[in-house]
Amino acid sequence: MEQVSQGGRRPLSRHIPLAVIAVAAVIGYFTLGDLLSFDTLREHREALLAFRDANFTGLALAFMAVYVGIVAFSLPGAAVASVTGGFLFGLALGTVFNVTAASLGAVAIFLAARWGLGRMLAQKIETSEGTLKKIKTGLHDNEVSVLFLMRLVPVVPFFVANLLPALVGVRFVNFVYTTVLGIIPGALVFTWIGVGVGEVFDRGESPDLSLLWEPQVIGPILGLCVLAALPIIIKTIRGKKDV
């Protein structure tokens, strides 16, 4: 009986990390919206700059730890964190810190989902037939392109791009490097906004995140989307010719 009990507990224990993330995301949505905001950055910017000048390494590590937590627990404030990275550390270092922290957070939530629910779903899809099997096969054949598209297309929520690949069983290595490379364009934009956020605050305004949709910004990103989708398009055309 003891062995059966232990065996019954193991599958449930695999869901604990994802359950914790889900609970934290819900609580954070209702409690942290006002805290992780541009108003908070405006109020504490002088203290943050003073701390940065006194302890650059300490602030950099603290910033990245907070950013990892925001992404890993799907908390509100990722855009604010990216802008803060540019404000505190400049375009080059800010982008490096933003990309590194966001990637680590994405890996954390991916592994949590893969360890529990993702493993079960991947096994069911693998043993299934029909439509689910075709979707799995199509994703496997175009895995890298699909992952890049999920990162580059601005309308795909970041947490969706972290969770969905884990639930359908994509390869971990592919997830990691498409995440790191795929979020660089967006990270550059938000970090760039952060570089000039001090002047924006001085005018009594808030950062304009709609800059992402300006033609000179969204154009190159859409161009990258086309490049990412090109292998899928070529395979589709070749498949139709073979038929």
Side-chain angles (χ1 to χ4, degrees):
M1 293 293 290
E2 184 177 354
Q3 292 179 347
V4 174
S5 177
Q6 289 177 351
R9 282 198 300 266
R10 283 198 200 102
L12 289 177
S13 68
R14 289 202 299 266
H15 299 297
I16 291 176
L18 191 57
V20 170
I21 288 174
V23 172
V26 172
I27 295 175
Y29 179 81
F30 291 103
T31 61
L32 296 178
D34 295 332
L35 180 61
L36 301 175
S37 66
F38 290 120
D39 289 336
T40 301
L41 177 59
R42 188 199 314 268
E43 294 173 8
H44 298 283
R45 62 169 174 155
E46 297 300 333
L48 287 171
L49 290 174
F51 186 79
R52 180 202 63 188
D53 294 339
N55 189 352
F56 184 90
T57 302
L59 182 60
L61 292 175
F63 167 77
M64 292 181 65
V66 171
Y67 200 156
V68 169
I70 289 173
V71 175
F73 292 100
S74 298
L75 301 176
V80 176
S82 294
V83 171
T84 302
F87 171 66
L88 292 175
F89 307 110
L91 182 60
L93 277 179
T95 301
V96 171
F97 292 161
N98 285 338
V99 170
T100 301
S103 299
L104 290 174
V107 168
I109 192 172
F110 175 90
L111 292 176
R114 167 65 62 84
W115 192 42
L117 187 61
R119 180 179 297 181
M120 294 174 53
L121 288 179
Q123 289 175 348
K124 288 184 178 180
I125 294 175
E126 191 65 34
T127 57
S128 65
E129 299 296 336
T131 303
L132 281 178
K133 189 68 173 180
K134 291 180 180 178
I135 293 175
K136 171 67 176 179
T137 302
L139 178 61
H140 178 76
D141 293 340
N142 304 285
E143 193 168 275
V144 172
S145 295
V146 172
L147 290 173
F148 267 128
L149 281 172
M150 292 181 69
R151 293 301 182 190
L152 292 170
V153 176
V155 296
V156 179
F158 196 61
F159 77 93
V160 172
N162 295 333
L163 283 174
L164 189 58
L167 298 180
V168 297
V170 304
R171 286 182 286 274
F172 177 69
V173 172
N174 288 346
F175 174 82
V176 172
Y177 86 79
T178 56
T179 295
V180 173
L181 297 179
I183 65 176
I184 288 177
L188 277 170
V189 174
F190 284 110
T191 308
W192 181 22
I193 294 173
V195 172
V197 79
E199 297 177 1
V200 174
F201 287 156
D202 290 337
R203 296 196 300 268
E205 301 173 357
S206 293
D208 184 11
L209 300 184
S210 65
L211 177 65
L212 179 64
W213 301 100
E214 292 293 326
Q216 68 271 21
V217 175
I218 194 65
I221 293 177
L222 292 178
L224 291 174
C225 291
V226 173
L227 288 177
L230 195 58
I232 300 176
I233 297 172
I234 293 174
K235 287 181 181 179
T236 302
I237 294 174
R238 285 179 176 176
K240 289 181 179 181
K241 287 183 177 180
D242 291 339
V243 173

